[in-house]
Structure formats: structure tokens, C-alpha cells
């Protein structure tokens, strides 16, 4: 298997499962996949974060807001792996509860990854809500 194939398997399994868990109110799997090395950042649909401390606080806030995910699908539109760096760009289609209220939305999500000690880690996320 090539690096691209291995990366794609990881995106479709571990990363997918972590994002679904987050939308069910469990940020633990997402935290496990994020880099523990600076720099890390999020330009989020609802909130931004810069650095390990802020991203941790953001993940806790998301965990406390989301629950009862009934559907999560990641529509991958582009990706690449170059050495120890990679990216994904796609659409996240989500049906979950936010602060107890059922919501369905689509986010455009672009993430940057780096390989650390042989494992893929998320270093940056940009997500915004698709409107219209």
C-alpha cells in the first residue's frame, strides 16, 4: 500500500470515527488524533482556537454542546500526501443535537495533517457552514 492509500484508510476509519464520536458528545477520540506539538489551530464554524490549550478548551465546549448524532458523512473532495504532511478537503454532512436542539448542517472542512512518530495527527482545521 502507498502512503496515499494508507492515509486514506486512516481518514475513512479513525478520523471518521473520531468526528462521529465528537458529534455524539465525546471529544476523546478527536483529542487522541490531534497533534500534541505546536503549532495547532482551528478556524471553526462556531469558534476559533490557536494552540494546544485553546484547542483543548474548544474540544471540551464542542463535546458539551453536541449529542445524539443520527448521521455523519464525510464527502471527501480532495486529498494528498507529501512526505510527512497531508491534507483533506471535503464536506461534512451532520445531523446531531446542539445544546439539546436537533440540527442538520453541512460544513466545508479542510484539515492539515503531519506524521508524528509514524502516526497521522491533525495540526489544523478550517470549517465553515455551507449556506444557500
Amino acid at each position: 500500500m502507498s502512503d496515499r492509500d494508507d492515509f486514506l484508510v486512516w481518514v475513512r476509519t479513525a478520523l471518521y470515527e473520531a468526528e462521529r464520536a465528537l458529534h455524539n458528545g465525546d471529544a476523546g477520540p478527536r483529542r487522541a488524533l490531534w497533534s500534541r506539538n505546536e503549532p495547532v489551530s482551528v478556524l471553526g464554524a462556531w469558534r476559533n482556537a490557536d494552540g494546544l490549550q485553546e484547542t483543548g478548551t474548544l474540544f471540551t465546549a464542542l463535546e458539551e454542546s453536541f449529542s445524539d448524532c443520527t448521521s455523519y458523512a464525510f464527502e471527501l473532495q480532495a486529498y494528498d500526501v507529501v512526505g510527512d504532511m497531508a491534507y483533506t478537503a471535503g464536506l461534512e454532512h451532520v445531523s446531531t443535537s446542539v445544546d439539546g436542539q436537533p440540527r442538520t448542517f453541512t460544513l466545508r472542512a479542510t484539515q492539515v495533517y503531519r506524521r508524528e512518530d509514524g502516526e497521522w495527527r491533525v495540526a489544523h482545521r478550517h470549517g465553515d457552514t455551507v449556506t444557500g
Side-chain angles (χ1 to χ4, degrees):
M1 236 185 220
S2 71
D3 273 354
R4 282 176 53 94
D5 293 335
D6 287 340
F7 176 72
L8 193 54
V9 167
W10 179 82
V11 166
R12 290 182 172 159
T13 57
L15 185 63
Y16 170 87
E17 291 163 10
E19 291 305 301
R20 179 147 185 137
L22 175 70
H23 289 94
N24 262 317
D26 179 7
R30 182 188 255 198
R31 281 187 182 94
L33 296 183
W34 271 69
S35 178
R36 290 147 188 88
N37 301 316
E38 299 285 5
V40 294
S41 54
V42 175
L43 298 175
W46 293 305
R47 189 168 153 186
N48 299 329
D50 183 26
L52 293 170
Q53 184 173 352
E54 286 185 18
T55 56
T57 301
L58 171 60
F59 297 164
T60 297
L62 293 173
E63 176 178 65
E64 292 170 351
S65 293
F66 291 136
S67 63
D68 303 318
C69 180
T70 58
S71 177
Y72 174 83
F74 181 54
E75 181 183 339
L76 182 64
Q77 295 181 324
Y79 77 101
D80 202 3
V81 175
V82 179
D84 288 336
M85 299 291 295
Y87 80 92
T88 56
L91 299 173
E92 295 178 338
H93 305 283
V94 183
S95 292
T96 190
S97 290
V98 179
D99 298 326
Q101 299 299 310
R103 296 221 9 228
T104 297
F105 53 89
T106 298
L107 299 177
R108 286 182 290 232
T110 302
Q111 296 196 148
V112 177
Y113 312 86
R114 58 182 172 241
R115 197 173 356 221
E116 298 174 355
D117 299 322
E119 300 290 328
W120 286 110
R121 300 286 181 219
V122 183
H124 173 74
R125 174 180 173 84
H126 176 256
D128 65 352
T129 305
V130 175
T131 57

